[in-house]
Amino acid sequence: MAAYDLEEFVNPCVAEKLASTYKKDETYMELLKQADAIYDKLLEDLTGNQAELLEQYFEATVATTARRDALTYIQGMKNMYNLSIVLQNKQ
């Protein structure tokens, strides 16, 4: 199965479960609140152009992080699949 096929198959199944997991994690939610508070303070002090550039930076950073996390997750699934094959062949 090609990487893109696995990703297309897995993503819809996983995205919803991950969102639920994030919401249940108190540490994650607290860090998110802290980040939002800092962001709001920054926006108060920045000019319009600076605020726009900061927004673009955050969007690029979030997109990069999301893609990295997706690639890591998919690679982990591939690794687990390959490990299960190796373990089955040793039996």
Side-chain angles (χ1 to χ4, degrees), residues 40-60:
D40 290 341
K41 287 180 185 179
L42 273 170
L43 286 183
E44 290 174 9
D45 293 338
L46 298 175
T47 67
N49 187 49
Q50 290 171 329
E52 178 61 30
L53 287 171
L54 182 64
E55 184 67 30
Q56 290 175 16
Y57 168 77
F58 283 139
E59 288 175 5

Side-chain angles (χ1 to χ4, degrees), residues 11-23:
N11 193 42
C13 304
V14 173
E16 188 175 311
K17 291 181 182 186
L18 285 176
S20 174
T21 299
Y22 297 152
K23 287 179 184 177

Side-chain angles (χ1 to χ4, degrees), residues 6-84:
L6 180 60
E7 189 172 347
E8 284 182 30
F9 176 75
V10 170
N11 193 42
C13 304
V14 173
E16 188 175 311
K17 291 181 182 186
L18 285 176
S20 174
T21 299
Y22 297 152
K23 287 179 184 177
K24 291 177 186 175
D25 188 274
E26 291 178 19
T27 302
Y28 175 81
M29 294 306 293
E30 184 59 35
L31 291 169
L32 189 59
K33 285 180 189 177
Q34 290 174 15
D36 287 344
I38 293 167
Y39 178 77
D40 290 341
K41 287 180 185 179
L42 273 170
L43 286 183
E44 290 174 9
D45 293 338
L46 298 175
T47 67
N49 187 49
Q50 290 171 329
E52 178 61 30
L53 287 171
L54 182 64
E55 184 67 30
Q56 290 175 16
Y57 168 77
F58 283 139
E59 288 175 5
T61 301
V62 167
T64 302
T65 300
R67 184 63 185 155
R68 183 198 65 216
D69 291 350
L71 291 171
T72 300
Y73 192 88
I74 295 296
Q75 187 59 48
M77 292 186 71
K78 289 176 184 178
N79 292 348
M80 181 60 75
Y81 175 76
N82 290 333
L83 177 61
S84 69

